[in-house]
Amino acid sequence: MHVDIISIFPSMFDSVLNSSILKRAVEKGKLEVKIHNLRDFAEDKHNTTDDAPYGGGAGMVMKVEPIAKCLRNVEKKKKGFKILLTPAGKKFDQALAKKLAKKKNLIFVCGHYEGFDERVKDYIDEEISIGDYVLTGGEIPALLIVDAVMRLLPGVLGNEESAKNESFMDGLLDYPHYTRPADYKGKKVPEVLLSGNHEKIAKWRSEEALKLTKEKRPDLLAKANKLSKGVYICP
Ligand code: ADE
């Protein structure tokens, strides 16, 4: 997958893209990321990318011309699915991550200040929010989405990790995990996990995932209609 990110703070991406699984995805050739400095597309000598709002009021608004010009430049090389990061967008979730993982090229436009000139939206395919809170800019949301999408691409995670992923793909929280020691200060690992009986273990994990979701995120249960291994839930 090829990802273009348009931002006025390109250095914000360095450490995240150069660490852990994202770094590995780049090294394996599964992911290619290009950061574009929006200031390079400003049309005045001060490289201005924002301006005061018409009608008055506090804060600055991201200008339309630099963004349109930058998108034109990016798409001269590679057309892509254009995403605007904004708290007013569609709420990001695993289903949207899955949808984006099917695209070949993604283009993220990160904003700052009070928001974008409304006409920026004419150049965008989808507005996305990562949650009902306001951040200082779209860079962290863009990285969050790249992370969630990348781990769904074939070959990015090892086999073990991708299998683990399946349970949340069913719309439920993950079941509890344990590793050695089997007894930590009297707190024991559930017996079934030591039994070696894979059928029983799968059943226990299904039940625990369901119990945990009911307890912590009952809203997810309304959406989930299927538990892994063919056990169906009636919402
Ligand atoms: N920019 C500022 N806040 C945001 C949010 N919650 N989601 C996406 N982009 C944002």
Side-chain angles (χ1 to χ4, degrees):
M1 179 182 274
H2 180 86
V3 173
D4 288 289
I5 303 178
I6 299 172
S7 161
I8 54 171
F9 294 115
S11 64
M12 281 184 75
F13 298 92
D14 295 346
S15 67
V16 178
L17 293 173
N18 283 307
S19 317
S20 185
I21 290 172
L22 285 178
K23 182 182 181 192
R24 214 168 71 194
V26 172
E27 285 169 353
K28 280 187 186 171
K30 306 281 175 198
L31 167 67
E32 189 180 69
V33 185
K34 209 159 173 204
I35 314 292
H36 305 268
N37 190 343
L38 183 62
R39 290 197 194 284
D40 295 342
F41 298 87
E43 300 192 311
D44 63 337
K45 65 175 194 293
H46 301 294
N47 297 335
T48 311
T49 53
D50 62 313
D51 206 342
Y54 276 119
M60 301 290 269
V61 175
M62 301 285 292
K63 290 164 70 65
V64 63
E65 303 103 306
I67 293 175
K69 197 169 157 190
C70 185
L71 282 171
R72 247 192 329 270
N73 188 274
V74 167
E75 291 209 295
K76 251 191 239 160
K77 292 184 192 103
K78 260 191 179 76
K79 296 232 173 284
F81 188 76
K82 296 176 284 300
I83 296 164
L84 185 70
L85 285 323
T86 159
K90 182 177 174 160
K91 186 101 71 81
F92 186 66
D93 60 9
Q94 194 66 17
L96 188 45
K98 257 172 102 173
K99 178 182 137 177
L100 296 179
K102 293 194 182 113
K103 311 268 182 204
K104 259 184 84 132
N105 304 317
L106 298 177
I107 304 174
F108 292 90
V109 179
C110 308
H112 273 266
Y113 317 115
E114 287 307 299
F116 300 91
D117 185 306
E118 195 61 20
R119 293 163 292 186
V120 167
K121 294 174 188 169
D122 297 343
Y123 299 92
I124 294 296
D125 297 309
E126 184 122 50
E127 294 170 51
I128 300 182
S129 164
I130 60 159
D132 292 338
Y133 38 80
V134 182
L135 302 171
T136 55
E139 284 75 10
I140 292 171
L143 282 168
L144 180 149
I145 294 170
V146 169
D147 187 292
V149 170
M150 278 322 115
R151 64 189 295 287
L152 300 179
L153 299 181
V156 167
L157 298 182
N159 271 348
E160 241 177 85
E161 289 158 303
S162 43
K164 201 177 93 187
N165 183 33
E166 310 262 90
S167 109
F168 195 65
M169 295 301 258
D170 287 332
L172 298 181
L173 298 183
D174 208 357
Y175 51 80
H177 300 268
Y178 294 89
T179 186
R180 279 177 285 216
D183 186 336
Y184 178 66
K185 297 184 178 178
K187 289 182 187 264
K188 292 192 173 125
V189 172
E191 203 64 47
V192 60
L193 297 179
L194 310 175
S195 70
N197 184 331
H198 295 294
E199 211 171 296
K200 270 194 182 161
I201 292 171
K203 185 167 176 284
W204 180 86
R205 286 178 169 166
S206 290
E207 287 164 358
E208 288 298 313
L210 181 55
K211 206 160 83 188
L212 212 65
T213 310
K214 253 186 189 158
E215 195 181 297
K216 292 190 175 170
R217 292 292 306 277
D219 56 304
L220 288 180
L221 272 189
K223 284 196 223 157
N225 56 9
K226 187 168 82 69
L227 186 58
S228 57
K229 315 276 179 235
V231 181
Y232 287 84
I233 303 162
C234 303

